[in-house]
Amino acid sequence: MITLKRNAVALMVSAVLVSTAVQAQVGAPEKEELKLGFIKLTDMAPLAVAYEKGYFEDEGLYVTLEAQANWKVLLDRVITGELDGAHMLAGQPLGATAGVGTKADVVTAFSMDLNGNATTVSNKIWEAMKANVPAGADGKPVHPIKADALKPVVQSYKDQGKAFNMGMVFPVSTHNYELRYWLAAGGLNPGFYAPLKGDNTGQQQADVLLSVTPPPQMPATLEAGTILGYSVGEPWNQAAVFKGIGVPVVTDAEIWHNNPEKVFGVAQSWAEKYPNTHVHLVKALIRAAYWLDQDNNANRQEAVNLLAKPEYVGADAKVIANSMTGTFEFEKGDKRPAADFNIFFRHHATYPYYSDAIWYLTQMRRWGQIPEAKPDSWYADLAKKVYKPEVYRQAAEELIAEGKMKVSDFPDFAKETGYKSPDNKFIDGITYDGHKPNDYLKQFPIGLKGDQKL
Amino acid sequence: MSALLNIKWQNMAFPFVGLLAFLFFWQIAASQVTTTLGSLPGPVATAQQFMGLVDEHEAEQDKKTAFYQRQEQRNADKLKADPDFKVTVRPYTGRPTFFDQITTSLITVATGFLVASLIAIPMGIILGLNQWMYQALNPVIQILKPISPLAWLPLVTMVVSAVYSSDNPLVAKSFINSAFTVTLCSLWPTLLNTTVGVANIDPDLKNVSRVLKLDPLTHVRKIVLPSAIPMIFTGLRLSLGVAWMVLIAAEMLAQNPGLGKFVWDEFQNGSAQSLARIMVAVVTIGIIGFMLDRGMLQLQKWFSWDKRSELR
């Protein structure tokens, strides 16, 4: 009898909780005029769409979008408060919070996309690589192309005493880790960072020297011969193809299928000061991401035309369309279907998974940016500090209550742990389990693990 | 009479021939240079792109109107739901067009140049009058003078960020950064020319002042200023030229709003139209620089005591 009563009470309490959760409306935004930064890349699309489709205004927000010169300027401006938030590399909030490069608390409640990058090499390097790439029945090179094909080319450079330089966009960028992952999977050492010795070039013991170049300058730098290849987001790989100066050899979806890419980052102090504004922003961005993938990418051509405007990406529409509308052009004329080249909403792309955050942290540890061993709990705690699924959930529930989205569009929040199940869709077939970052690191032949230090 | 006509005709014809030759050379030369974005735009392509920018500006104005209408509607709805709602009108959030960027640049350069002049002219008069002060400060001035705006900018940015912090700033930080950099770089020609102009006043005039026992302020007003004016204006014109050049560089480097940012954004866009749009900006920068100088000359004619001297 007593237990029955207690159960009833529990039921009533939970019923009240559930109903308040649905009814609890997010209050008006504390700050209505916002300035958000972005880099000229196609994956800034959710911001442009939320602006042009009026999703920001629907949330009572007056947003100004402003292109930034490079990732460093963008991050600094978010930290100093000149920008309210920005399109960011997933590694930026994590790196800043962990103290890699900059030390500042930056958080994210919205993941902007999956995939979307590629690695391009100059025509000359491609000619040399091509000899090592098997051809399929149609005479075209078999994909994915592994860095094994690049290894002899790098060796010939080494034998001549010449450096093999490649570009990536920022020390904690997805591109840096992708390029390193690809190179290391092919037996090439991309070099280590040694911050304890004050060396932040990331070129210790390196076979291939990686350095920072802002995304829009990649083709020009490749053309100038300063770098022989680069890893960057779109449209800067397709731009190399159109200009006839380089050949994309591998996409990030081939290195790690459906890898998390950019996030929408804000300063932690900003998020604490303007909690409602934050939820409203995420609401608008969720709707924009949904629109981008809606009805099997039906809106992509419209998105391309939007992005081609000079105030957003500004590149020619046909260049942007190449990757945004389900194809990707490798060697000139070798256009292949790539339906998943850039995912904005499918597969819960916008949900901030802790396991995604932890993957980035493992790569920071692997290449020495985190110079000393950390227990698994440290990885989990830092991910929790930076990734804010609770804000995302609030935004999603609001959208469901308003009838703008369906429950089925989102993960099952009641059961969601924030950890994706172990995944082995990597180019080297190694399995990643977000619960065991240290065990994950042990599997790599090249890279720091355990107590290793430089 | 016919001689007068002749002069007028020549005044018109030679600049016209010069410009035409330049445009011809530009057209020929541009088509020879092929970049990865196509060949360099000639005058025709540039003019077409200018018209495109005008169209974009007009389209943006329509968007602006629609933005305010939507906002009005939204505010009205809120007011209906809650009579105590305090209506605030938010400024348009769209992007600045080419012409907006020109306005921004002009306001910035005017501010920076005005501040520079307000510092440089009084200081130049003091240095010109006082030999000891001049000797003490000259080395510092000579060292500060050749510093490039691009070297100042990071420092200015950091200092402004540290000193000028408020949640609701009256003017944007980027504006202060640009204007302050312009001031720092455009100060020197006016300062040095004023100093030299003041120091080299005709000794007879100085003697007159001494005989009449003019008090220092009257001495400056009646004797120093009139005779130093040509040199001061030479300095101001040089300063304004420097200010305009510095501003564009500062805007490009720091991504501060203005024509410089327009150029940099287009460079980063790398579309088929980008080069022509940059060319429009380059020509515009030149024409505005020219007009600023002419404006200054007009000002000098108006200020100058000696209306007979030829100014060019």
Side-chain angles (χ1 to χ4, degrees):
Chain A
M1 189 63 211
I2 289 170
T3 48
L4 235 175
K5 213 172 184 178
R6 198 184 285 159
N7 274 347
V9 169
L11 238 166
M12 271 162 65
V13 168
S14 63
V16 167
L17 276 178
V18 167
S19 64
T20 49
V22 173
Q23 280 164 4
Q25 276 210 333
V26 179
E30 299 89 350
K31 186 175 184 190
E32 294 188 348
E33 282 173 83
L34 304 173
K35 192 193 263 183
L36 308 180
F38 69 91
I39 297 285
K40 288 178 172 286
L41 290 163
T42 50
D43 54 25
M44 61 75 67
L47 287 171
V49 169
Y51 181 86
E52 298 284 340
K53 293 273 149 196
Y55 298 156
F56 285 134
E57 287 185 31
D58 287 349
E59 300 299 326
L61 301 173
Y62 298 95
V63 170
T64 306
L65 298 175
E66 196 184 274
Q68 305 296 308
N70 57 55
W71 289 114
K72 177 166 170 44
V73 167
L74 175 136
L75 181 62
D76 287 348
R77 285 190 163 178
V78 169
I79 293 169
T80 61
E82 272 174 272
L83 294 173
D84 293 289
H87 160 231
M88 274 187 193
L89 297 158
Q92 283 188 310
L94 293 161
T97 307
V100 178
T102 317
K103 179 82 189 111
D105 289 331
V106 181
V107 299
T108 176
F110 181 82
S111 218
M112 287 188 73
D113 61 331
L114 303 178
N115 308 328
N117 301 329
T119 295
T120 293
V121 296
S122 72
N123 291 336
K124 205 173 128 200
I125 300 296
W126 171 238
E127 281 312 314
M129 268 178 85
K130 211 172 171 180
N132 314 319
V133 180
D138 55 356
K140 288 178 178 174
V142 176
H143 282 246
I145 294 172
K146 296 192 172 178
D148 306 47
L150 182 66
K151 203 175 173 184
V153 185
V154 174
Q155 192 56 47
S156 76
Y157 267 73
K158 264 188 155 173
D159 295 343
Q160 297 169 46
K162 287 194 285 189
F164 198 93
N165 294 315
M166 289 184 90
M168 45 82 184
V169 303
F170 199 67
V172 296
S173 66
T174 324
H175 318 78
N176 188 18
Y177 303 130
E178 282 163 13
L179 186 52
R180 282 166 183 273
Y181 200 103
W182 181 67
L183 290 169
L188 286 163
N189 191 334
F192 294 102
Y193 293 85
L196 294 180
K197 290 183 192 156
D199 178 6
N200 286 313
T201 56
Q203 299 182 343
Q204 292 228 347
Q205 305 169 25
D207 297 322
V208 176
L209 305 178
L210 307 187
S211 56
V212 171
T213 309
Q217 260 101 277
M218 285 292 186
T221 316
L222 184 76
E223 212 185 347
T226 318
I227 51 175
L228 301 167
Y230 55 73
S231 170
V232 75
E234 274 313 301
W236 308 117
N237 295 290
Q238 294 299 291
V241 177
F242 271 79
K243 290 176 170 192
I245 57 172
V247 176
V249 287
V250 65
T251 66
D252 61 339
E254 293 170 330
I255 298 171
W256 177 15
H257 193 65
N258 289 351
N259 70 87
E261 236 284 288
K262 302 285 176 351
V263 296
F264 178 77
V266 300
Q268 194 192 15
S269 52
W270 186 95
E272 280 163 6
K273 207 166 158 193
Y274 309 114
N276 294 349
T277 314
H278 199 186
V279 176
H280 283 290
L281 260 178
V282 173
K283 279 174 75 184
L285 290 173
I286 289 175
R287 286 179 71 195
Y290 180 78
W291 182 87
L292 278 161
D293 279 9
Q294 205 173 5
D295 303 330
N296 216 0
N297 293 359
N299 295 326
R300 287 294 179 95
Q301 188 55 47
E302 192 183 338
V304 166
N305 296 340
L306 249 178
L307 291 173
K309 290 186 177 188
E311 66 264 40
Y312 300 123
V313 181
D316 292 331
K318 59 179 182 191
V319 179
I320 297 175
N322 243 13
S323 69
M324 283 285 281
T325 53
T327 55
F328 192 73
E329 190 168 1
F330 290 88
E331 221 173 338
K332 215 163 199 166
D334 182 2
K335 203 166 181 174
R336 306 190 180 202
D340 285 351
F341 187 86
N342 217 174
I343 295 174
F344 290 100
F345 194 78
R346 293 193 297 278
H347 311 306
H348 305 315
T350 52
Y351 188 78
Y353 285 98
Y354 294 134
S355 52
D356 290 349
I358 291 169
W359 185 81
Y360 280 97
L361 294 170
T362 62
Q363 300 305 301
M364 290 177 197
R365 171 67 191 131
R366 183 182 181 188
W367 302 117
Q369 289 172 324
I370 295 168
E372 283 163 325
K374 303 278 183 190
D376 284 354
S377 60
W378 179 87
Y379 289 87
D381 291 346
L382 202 100
K384 265 208 169 120
K385 204 172 162 197
V386 177
Y387 276 44
K388 299 289 169 198
E390 58 273 19
V391 175
Y392 182 95
R393 181 180 176 172
Q394 239 184 315
E397 279 169 350
E398 279 274 307
L399 286 169
I400 296 167
E402 289 168 11
K404 291 184 177 120
M405 305 276 293
K406 297 185 295 292
V407 175
S408 57
D409 292 330
F410 297 102
D412 182 353
F413 293 121
K415 288 189 197 141
E416 184 57 66
T417 59
Y419 284 83
K420 291 180 184 166
S421 45
D423 177 4
N424 66 352
K425 291 200 206 88
F426 291 86
I427 198 163
D428 54 4
I430 287 176
T431 302
Y432 167 63
D433 179 355
H435 288 292
K436 298 169 188 158
N438 280 302
D439 287 354
Y440 176 58
L441 285 169
K442 278 182 202 150
Q443 303 177 71
F444 293 113
I446 300 178
L448 299 184
K449 49 188 87 66
D451 288 335
Q452 283 179 358
K453 235 195 265 184
L454 274 181
Chain B
M1 187 64 201
S2 78
L4 190 74
L5 260 177
N6 245 350
I7 291 172
K8 280 248 162 121
W9 180 82
Q10 280 178 353
N11 276 352
M12 296 286 285
F14 283 106
F16 187 70
V17 169
L19 266 179
L20 216 60
F22 171 73
L23 288 178
F24 181 72
F25 173 76
W26 176 9
Q27 182 72 43
I28 298 294
S31 57
Q32 305 295 319
V33 184
T34 321
T35 73
T36 50
L37 291 177
S39 63
L40 221 55
V44 179
T46 307
Q48 280 167 350
Q49 203 48 245
F50 178 77
M51 293 320 291
L53 286 169
V54 173
D55 290 345
E56 266 177 33
H57 181 73
E58 279 165 3
E60 198 65 25
Q61 296 310 309
D62 293 344
K63 269 178 98 176
K64 193 173 182 171
T65 318
F67 170 87
Y68 280 115
Q69 275 169 358
R70 283 200 307 276
Q71 191 177 177
E72 218 170 281
Q73 183 61 45
R74 202 169 302 121
N75 282 338
D77 290 347
K78 278 188 187 170
L79 210 56
K80 214 185 271 171
D82 171 19
D84 293 332
F85 176 70
K86 253 175 77 187
V87 177
T88 31
V89 177
R90 308 290 173 181
Y92 180 52
T93 57
R95 56 139 184 180
T97 65
F98 182 63
F99 301 96
D100 297 332
Q101 299 286 37
I102 293 179
T103 316
T104 310
S105 282
L106 284 176
I107 294 173
T108 317
V109 81
T111 312
F113 174 68
L114 207 70
V115 175
S117 308
L118 287 178
I119 299 170
I121 297 175
M123 204 166 147
I125 293 174
I126 294 170
L127 293 188
L129 290 175
N130 188 325
Q131 185 63 21
W132 305 118
M133 285 270 269
Y134 175 75
Q135 280 180 353
L137 285 178
N138 193 39
V140 181
I141 294 172
Q142 295 302 337
I143 290 170
L144 288 177
K145 191 173 66 135
I147 297 174
S148 151
L150 306 189
W152 277 127
L153 200 63
L155 279 179
V156 171
T157 309
M158 298 307 287
V159 170
V160 169
S161 292
V163 177
Y164 184 74
S165 60
S166 102
D167 271 348
N168 237 333
L170 194 64
V171 287
K173 238 182 230 177
S174 55
F175 171 79
I176 302 214
N177 284 336
S178 298
F180 193 40
T181 309
V182 166
T183 302
L184 272 178
C185 296
S186 69
L187 198 64
W188 314 111
T190 307
L191 177 59
L192 289 176
N193 275 288
T194 307
T195 310
V196 174
V198 171
N200 292 341
I201 297 172
D202 192 340
D204 291 347
L205 285 174
K206 282 196 209 163
N207 289 335
V208 170
S209 168
R210 209 165 295 147
V211 170
L212 292 177
K213 292 204 173 98
L214 293 180
D215 66 290
L217 256 181
T218 321
H219 172 69
V220 168
R221 215 151 44 87
K222 295 280 176 192
I223 305 288
V224 174
L225 272 181
S227 36
I229 272 286
M231 282 297 277
I232 294 179
F233 266 96
T234 308
L236 285 173
R237 276 171 71 186
L238 286 171
S239 277
L240 189 56
V242 170
W244 184 238
M245 276 197 271
V246 163
L247 178 71
I248 303 297
E251 286 169 350
M252 275 182 86
L253 190 73
Q255 300 283 292
N256 292 338
L259 271 173
K261 181 165 165 61
F262 177 87
V263 171
W264 191 250
D265 280 350
E266 284 302 332
F267 173 60
Q268 293 213 318
N269 284 350
S271 80
Q273 300 183 332
S274 291
L275 283 180
R277 292 164 75 101
I278 291 175
M279 202 61 98
V280 173
V282 166
V283 173
T284 309
I285 290 167
I287 292 175
I288 292 179
F290 170 71
M291 290 198 314
L292 287 176
D293 193 62
R294 286 288 116 166
M296 211 62 202
L297 188 67
Q298 213 51 49
L299 209 62
Q300 181 175 4
K301 281 183 179 157
W302 187 60
F303 258 110
S304 162
W305 269 255
D306 182 3
K307 303 285 183 203
R308 283 165 307 158
S309 65
E310 187 181 353
L311 295 167
R312 57 158 88 202

